[in-house]
Amino acid sequence: LVGYYRLEEAIVRIIGPDIGCSTLFLRQTPNGPPMGAQCWKNGDPIYVSSSRIEGNWIMAKANDGAVGWVDSKCVHYM
């Protein structure tokens, strides 16, 4: 759980030129700068909270426990 939000397993799918890179970064705020080295590559599993969405951004949790925001266009539910 992130706070009181349930996490769901999803997978990272980075496709198309509109994404602009091959890495999905964790951000402290929606559309903010990347937080350190927390990132995922195409095909990596990721844990997100579908009840915490702001625009195109969804709350996610990194393997080290860091919580932040990722681009929801790159997240596909399993």
Side-chain angles (χ1 to χ4, degrees), residues 19-52:
I19 301 303
C21 65
S22 62
T23 306
L24 179 65
F25 287 97
L26 189 67
R27 300 168 189 275
Q28 190 169 16
T29 59
N31 206 26
M35 288 173 42
Q38 300 300 329
C39 64
W40 295 265
K41 300 287 186 191
N42 195 36
D44 286 347
I46 187 171
Y47 288 91
V48 296
S49 177
S50 62
S51 61
R52 290 287 293 151

Side-chain angles (χ1 to χ4, degrees), residues 2-3 5-8 26 28 46-54 57-61 67-70 72 75 77:
V2 174
Y5 299 102
R6 181 166 300 284
L7 292 173
E8 303 165 58
L26 189 67
Q28 190 169 16
I46 187 171
Y47 288 91
V48 296
S49 177
S50 62
S51 61
R52 290 287 293 151
I53 296 175
E54 289 191 23
W57 300 91
I58 189 168
M59 184 170 277
K61 183 176 181 183
V67 175
W69 297 88
V70 297
S72 65
V75 174
Y77 297 98

